[in-house]
């Protein structure tokens, strides 16, 4: 049975999108070819001659494109925006976009990009018990009267996770709609699923009219990702996987969510990191934040490599993924006596008991369909395996290129009886449990190497043999949590002064709702059906934080989005259930701040953080000033004019009142120069600890080779809501005298600043990065 429905009601905002010959980098446009552009305008700049903004927008596009442009039925506009953002999207040539950018009243013209989806037990693991109710659930009235907008692939409204039994009326401020269509009648919405919309115009403008035999023109989820993420934020648990979403549609979802009156927006999509004034998600999220809405976004699944984090704007909560204390172990028993540990959630018929099957690795042992395509066969790509070579055998497939479940389907169609999915060096020891279509197991890089060597040493007389055994579900696993190998890592590629990800939450092997029309493997050939499914990704971690943000907002209705994020970050923990420092799944080494941000979310402590670091929209403007953005760039993000003279005199981008502190130094190319570099951070803490008087004292765990001082070291608050400021000074020893760093190398050192009044512990990570020039 699924857990009780104790999270807030939600609004799923479906973004119908698919990658149809469109790259994530260019949005589908080429030199001189039409593509979709998002245009931001000054709301009060509409000439009086036009009766509506839409008339003005259409006239502006027509003037920029010239008389020869052809338009689809309905005119050039795709979407118009008026809540989170003022402007429109339209398809035009680069030349027309350039002309439009200089038109009166136009603040910015941004090319559209295609985004990707960042693809149980977590309430108990998070300490959220419904009976008896935890303090957070009780104090927030179980999130009643809050609305979460899920921007994803839609929702399956008939699933029992979205039943409204026992819930009160729809929040009175709700202004949204229940958009109907195939498979989604007007009656699909209720007191829990309060509304639904779908946005497909941007997708269809680029890819052509949708194929309605394969896709549904309604909020109905035919992928699974949206149902999974929505049920995590709403009370059940489900994982999601990869799809595609177009910026113009995502921005339309943001715009509708703000207008509809939501409290939290949960966004499990990501893509290429670009400057904030070119990033439609960052722009939409700023408008939502300015309206008092918390925006939670997935960090991406590009880990474990560095500089892979996405959705890095400081006004969003960027969420990485960790494990829980639950595992799905399986192992490979080899004919030579070795046992290789792995994971799997395969639940179908097992391999014959006691039988050892021949093992084949098509990357080296002749299992390829053609001698010239050994690489494709090693990856088990479609059509790459020779049925005569793999029939009746267990096939070893390298991880990468196609989906993990798709590899198993390729093996099954070629006649294989089982699969071992082996990590390469990049993936390390990070494992994801999948619901495969045949007996299959995932093993880490070290086990994969041993397996390949065993197969390579075999002969016709003594073939390599083995079998796969499944061990079910194990609870109380140690250590937990660990940082999931796939979870995207910092540093922040756009603004290194802002540590990203912000924090991590459960995102590995998450059980959640699943559509009845989609097989659990997520591939067309899978005809099995299930109510719940297990998936992994920062897509799954993000809605956990979205749901917690809604609970905090219900308990503290006057808190700003920045205060809620601060409470989640400064109360996060960095030690696992073995009381050791949290580790990185991919390597087993201690995880750093670029892996887990401030740490793993702790809902109970976040309820009463003691202090918060609040940030106003004006503070974000100053931050953009200190990134050396032009006034035009800033206006593209914030809809306001900016005078940066005061902001730049006051400090640097790192002085944004953020709950973490990140400094980057560039080492001198000449080792004869000074070996110590300095910076400072100014922070302002607000007392929310519940008492009129409180005295907080600072303690510092300085990063290695650094000297960190705090002034003053004591903050004496006289009342609730009082704000007091302090300065943190950091001196970093770049290198020992006479020694130089290798050109292009970097050193990352981590520490922490902690404020405590004896009852609250308010922790902020300190990260110091020293970079050597390329020469």
């Amino acid at each position: 049975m699924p857990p009780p429905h104790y999270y807030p009601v939600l609004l799923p905002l479906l973004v119908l999108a698919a990658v149809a010959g469109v790259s994530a980098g260019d949005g589908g446009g080429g030199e001189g070819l039409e593509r979709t552009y998002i245009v931001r305008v000054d709301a009060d700049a509409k000439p009086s001659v036009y009766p509506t903004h839409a008339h003005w927008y259409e006239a502006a596009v027509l003037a920029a494109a010239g008389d020869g442009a052809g338009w689809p039925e309905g005119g050039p506009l795709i979407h118009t925006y008026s809540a989170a953002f003022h402007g429109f999207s339209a398809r035009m040539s680069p030349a027309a976009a350039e002309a439009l950018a200089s038109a009166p009243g136009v603040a910015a013209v941004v090319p559209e990009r295609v985004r990707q989806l960042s693809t149980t037990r977590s309430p108990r693991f998070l300490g959220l018990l419904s009976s008896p109710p935890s303090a957070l659930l009780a104090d927030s009235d179980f999130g009643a009267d809050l609305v979460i907008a899920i921007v994803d692939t839609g929702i399956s409204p008939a699933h029992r996770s979205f039943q409204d039994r026992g819930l009160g009326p729809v929040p009175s401020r709700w202004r949204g709609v229940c958009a109907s269509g195939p498979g989604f009648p007007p009656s699909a919405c209720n007191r829990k699923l309060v509304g639904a919309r779908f946005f497909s115009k941007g997708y269809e403008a680029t890819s052509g009219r949708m194929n309605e035999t394969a896709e549904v023109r309604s909020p109905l989820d035919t992928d699974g990702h949206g149902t999974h993420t929505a049920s995590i934020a709403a009370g059940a648990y489900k994982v999601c996987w990869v799809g595609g979403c177009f910026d113009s549609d995502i921005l339309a979802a943001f715009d509708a969510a703000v207008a509809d009156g939501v409290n939290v927006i949960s966004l499990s999509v990501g893509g290429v990191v670009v400057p904030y004034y070119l990033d439609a998600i960052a722009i939409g999220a700023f408008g939502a934040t300015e309206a008092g809405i918390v925006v939670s976004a997935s960090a991406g699944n590009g880990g474990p490599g560095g500089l892979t984090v996405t959705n890095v704007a400081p006004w969003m909560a960027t969420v990485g993924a960790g494990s829980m204390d639950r595992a799905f172990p399986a192992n490979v028993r080899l004919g030579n006596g070795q046992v290789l540990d792995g994971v799997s959630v395969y639940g179908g018929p097992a391999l014959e008991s006691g039988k050892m099957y021949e093992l084949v690795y098509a990357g080296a042992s002749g299992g390829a369909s053609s001698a010239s395509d050994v690489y494709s066969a090693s990856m088990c790509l479609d059509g790459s395996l020779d049925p005569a070579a793999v029939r009746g055998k267990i096939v070893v497939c390298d991880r990468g290129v196609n989906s993990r479940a798709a590899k198993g389907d390729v093996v099954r169609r070629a006649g294989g009886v089982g699969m071992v999915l082996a990590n390469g060096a990049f993936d390390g020891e990070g494992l994801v449990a999948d619901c495969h279509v045949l007996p299959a197991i995932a093993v880490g890089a070290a086990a994969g190497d041993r397996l390949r060597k065993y197969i390579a040493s075999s002969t016709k007389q003594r073939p390599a043999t083995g079998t796969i055994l499944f061990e079910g579900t194990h609870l109380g696993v140690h250590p937990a949590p660990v940082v999931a190998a796939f979870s995207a890592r910092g540093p922040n590629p756009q603004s290194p002064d802002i540590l990203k990800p912000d924090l991590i939450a459960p995102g590995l092997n998450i059980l959640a709702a699943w559509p009845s029309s989609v097989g659990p493997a997520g591939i067309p050939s899978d005809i099995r059906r299930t109510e719940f499914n297990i998936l992994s990704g920062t897509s799954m971690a993000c809605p956990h934080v979205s749901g917690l943000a809604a609970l905090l907002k219900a308990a503290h209705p006057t808190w700003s989005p920045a205060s809620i994020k601060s409470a989640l970050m400064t109360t996060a923990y960095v030690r696992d259930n073995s009381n050791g420092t949290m580790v990185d799944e991919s390597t087993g080494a201690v995880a750093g701040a670029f892996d887990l941000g401030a740490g793993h979310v702790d809902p109970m402590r976040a309820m009463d953080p003691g202090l918060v670091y609040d940030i106003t929209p004006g503070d974000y403007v100053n931050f953009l000033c200190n990134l050396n953005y032009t006034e035009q760039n800033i206006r593209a993000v914030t809809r306001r004019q900016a005078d940066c003279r005061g902001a730049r005199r006051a400090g640097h981008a790192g002085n944004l009142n953020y709950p973490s502190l990140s400094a980057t130094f560039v080492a001198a190319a000449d080792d004869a120069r000074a070996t110590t570099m300095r910076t400072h951070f100014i922070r302002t803490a607000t007392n929310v600890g519940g008492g009129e008087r409180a005295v907080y004292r600072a303690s510092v765990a300085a990063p290695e080779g650094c000297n960190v001082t705090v002034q003053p070291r004591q903050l004496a608050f006289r009342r609730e809501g009082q704000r007091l400021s302090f300065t943190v000074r950091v001196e970093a020893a770049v290198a020992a005298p006479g020694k130089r760093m290798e050109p292009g190398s970097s050193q990352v050192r981590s520490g922490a600043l902690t404020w405590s009044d004896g009852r609250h512990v308010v922790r902020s990570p300190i990260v110091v990065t020293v970079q050597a020039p390329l020469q």
Side-chain angles (χ1 to χ4, degrees):
M1 291 290 292
H5 305 306
Y6 51 72
Y7 276 72
V9 292
L10 63 147
L11 165 68
L13 294 171
L14 169 61
V15 180
L16 286 173
V19 180
V22 181
S23 75
D26 64 8
E31 186 63 35
L33 300 178
E34 283 195 347
R35 60 185 294 182
T36 299
Y37 290 87
I38 297 165
V39 183
R40 179 161 217 158
V41 304
D42 296 327
D44 56 357
K46 180 182 73 69
S48 59
V49 66
Y50 299 110
T52 67
H53 279 83
H55 286 87
W56 173 34
Y57 301 157
E58 186 164 319
V61 174
L62 294 173
D67 295 335
W71 304 108
E73 184 179 351
L77 303 185
I78 298 172
H79 289 292
T80 60
Y81 315 109
S82 60
F85 176 92
H86 284 294
F88 62 93
S89 53
R91 197 158 179 83
M92 66 190 85
S93 69
E98 185 176 357
L100 186 61
S102 59
V106 173
V109 178
V110 179
E112 177 174 66
R113 287 174 171 78
V114 180
R115 311 285 178 159
Q116 302 298 321
L117 296 166
S118 304
T119 190
T120 160
R121 182 173 169 80
S122 54
R124 180 175 293 273
F125 186 72
L126 291 170
L128 295 173
L129 300 180
S130 57
S131 182
S134 65
L136 178 54
L137 292 177
D139 289 352
S140 66
D141 192 20
F142 292 78
D145 207 38
L146 272 292
V147 181
I148 301 174
I150 306 292
V151 181
D152 216 289
T153 64
I155 198 166
S156 298
H159 198 283
R160 55 176 164 153
S161 292
F162 308 117
Q163 293 175 359
D164 62 358
R165 186 170 52 251
L167 293 182
V170 173
S172 59
R173 72 176 176 286
W174 170 246
R175 301 182 293 273
V177 300
C178 187
S180 60
F184 208 101
S187 60
C189 297
N190 55 28
R191 291 172 299 170
K192 183 169 189 177
L193 178 60
V194 297
R197 294 178 181 267
F198 67 99
F199 303 91
S200 60
K201 291 180 180 179
Y203 164 46
E204 294 183 281
T206 297
S207 306
R209 187 173 178 83
M210 75 171 65
N211 177 3
E212 296 189 47
T213 63
E215 297 182 281
V216 178
R217 195 181 295 278
S218 80
L220 184 68
D221 183 13
T222 59
D223 176 277
H225 194 276
T227 300
H228 196 273
T229 55
S231 66
I232 292 170
Y237 313 100
K238 176 171 185 176
V239 282
C240 344
W241 61 64
V242 179
C245 310
F246 287 76
D247 275 356
S248 56
D249 292 334
I250 294 172
L251 197 52
F254 268 108
D255 200 58
V258 174
D260 290 343
V262 308
N263 302 97
V264 178
I265 294 176
S266 185
L267 186 74
S268 290
V269 304
V272 178
V273 176
V274 294
Y276 302 129
Y277 56 86
L278 295 177
D279 185 341
I281 288 179
I283 292 169
F286 184 91
T289 301
E290 194 172 28
I293 297 169
V294 179
V295 180
S296 172
S298 55
N301 296 340
L307 285 166
T308 51
V309 65
T310 65
N311 294 322
V312 296
W315 42 88
M316 293 191 283
T318 307
V319 187
S323 70
M324 296 187 294
D325 61 345
R326 177 181 64 191
F328 304 95
N331 59 65
V332 185
R333 303 270 175 104
L334 302 182
N336 64 1
Q338 289 189 76
V339 178
L340 306 178
D341 293 331
V343 300
S344 180
V345 288
Y346 172 73
L351 296 173
E352 184 178 336
S353 178
K355 179 177 179 178
M356 300 296 279
Y357 296 82
E358 186 173 347
L359 298 168
V360 59
Y361 174 51
S365 56
S369 58
S370 66
S372 62
D373 203 15
V374 172
Y375 172 77
S376 294
S378 72
M379 294 284 180
C380 297
L381 303 184
D382 193 28
S384 65
L385 299 180
D386 179 4
V390 305
R391 186 174 294 113
K393 301 175 183 177
I394 295 175
V395 181
V396 178
C397 300
D398 291 340
R399 184 172 171 180
V401 183
N402 56 340
S403 77
R404 300 180 299 272
K407 294 177 188 291
D409 190 48
V410 170
V411 171
R412 182 180 66 169
R413 287 188 283 111
V417 298
M419 177 184 70
V420 180
L421 180 60
N423 282 1
F426 176 81
D427 298 297
E429 301 307 310
L431 298 177
V432 175
D434 293 302
C435 191
H436 290 286
V437 295
L438 82 173
I441 179 176
V443 300
D449 287 343
R450 290 198 295 271
L451 181 57
R452 296 183 195 95
K453 288 177 182 177
Y454 172 56
I455 295 173
S457 67
S458 65
T459 64
K460 288 186 177 180
Q461 293 71 31
R462 300 191 63 177
T465 62
T467 190
I468 303 172
L469 300 177
F470 305 98
E471 299 182 14
T473 302
H474 288 193
L475 302 177
V477 173
H478 289 72
V482 301
V483 179
F486 58 76
S487 188
R489 315 300 170 95
N492 184 333
Q494 192 53 228
S495 44
D497 294 305
I498 303 299
L499 176 64
K500 293 285 182 172
D502 289 309
L503 72 173
I504 64 171
L508 181 64
N509 300 330
I510 303 299
L511 177 66
W514 194 249
S516 60
S517 60
V518 181
I523 53 179
S525 64
D526 187 3
I527 61 173
R528 300 171 297 173
R529 294 296 179 259
T530 181
E531 260 198 296
F532 297 89
N533 197 9
I534 287 175
L535 292 179
S536 297
T538 57
S539 284
M540 283 72 255
C542 170
H544 280 90
V545 170
S546 303
L548 295 176
L551 293 175
L552 288 176
K553 184 67 174 178
H556 303 285
T558 63
W559 283 9
S560 69
S563 293
I564 290 172
K565 183 169 74 170
S566 174
L568 292 167
M569 290 176 64
T570 61
T571 58
Y573 61 88
V574 294
R575 303 192 74 80
D576 58 33
N577 59 1
S578 297
N579 201 32
T581 304
M582 214 175 297
V583 300
D584 181 345
E585 183 196 25
S586 67
T587 62
V590 171
F594 288 157
D595 305 318
L596 49 70
H600 191 284
V601 66
D602 186 335
M604 305 312 300
R605 290 187 58 221
M607 178 68 183
D608 183 18
L611 304 176
V612 294
Y613 297 99
D614 198 9
I615 305 175
T616 68
D619 295 330
Y620 291 124
V621 172
N622 291 340
F623 163 77
L624 296 174
C625 286
N626 284 315
L627 290 183
N628 292 321
Y629 279 19
T630 66
E631 291 187 14
Q632 184 81 355
N633 297 155
I634 296 170
R635 191 158 58 102
V637 176
T638 67
R639 297 189 295 188
R640 62 179 72 189
Q641 300 290 338
D643 184 351
C644 288
R645 290 172 295 183
R648 288 170 180 158
R649 282 196 304 268
H652 54 89
N655 277 340
L656 181 68
N657 200 36
Y658 215 66
S660 56
L661 304 102
S662 178
T664 301
F665 298 115
V666 178
D670 182 355
D671 60 1
R673 292 178 56 185
T675 58
T676 299
M677 306 188 80
R678 299 172 177 83
T679 192
H680 73 281
F681 303 93
I682 300 171
R683 293 292 186 267
T684 300
T686 302
N687 178 26
V688 295
E692 290 188 1
R693 294 180 178 274
V695 178
Y696 284 81
R697 293 174 175 83
S699 62
V700 174
E704 182 181 359
C706 298
N707 181 41
V708 179
T709 59
V710 182
Q711 185 64 34
R713 294 190 64 86
Q714 178 174 296
L715 299 177
F717 294 93
R718 298 186 302 277
R719 63 183 182 278
E720 177 93 3
Q722 184 179 0
R723 296 160 55 89
L724 294 176
S725 298
F726 60 92
T727 301
V728 180
R729 301 187 186 279
V730 177
E731 293 184 354
V734 174
K739 293 185 178 179
R740 298 182 59 186
M741 295 173 61
E742 290 294 322
S745 65
S746 64
Q747 300 173 354
V748 180
R749 310 161 187 178
S750 298
L753 163 65
T754 303
W755 291 98
S756 179
D757 65 347
R759 185 165 69 94
H760 304 94
V761 177
V762 186
R763 181 183 179 276
S764 293
I766 303 172
V767 183
V768 174
T769 304
V770 180
Q771 297 177 337
L774 291 174
Q775 206 68 328

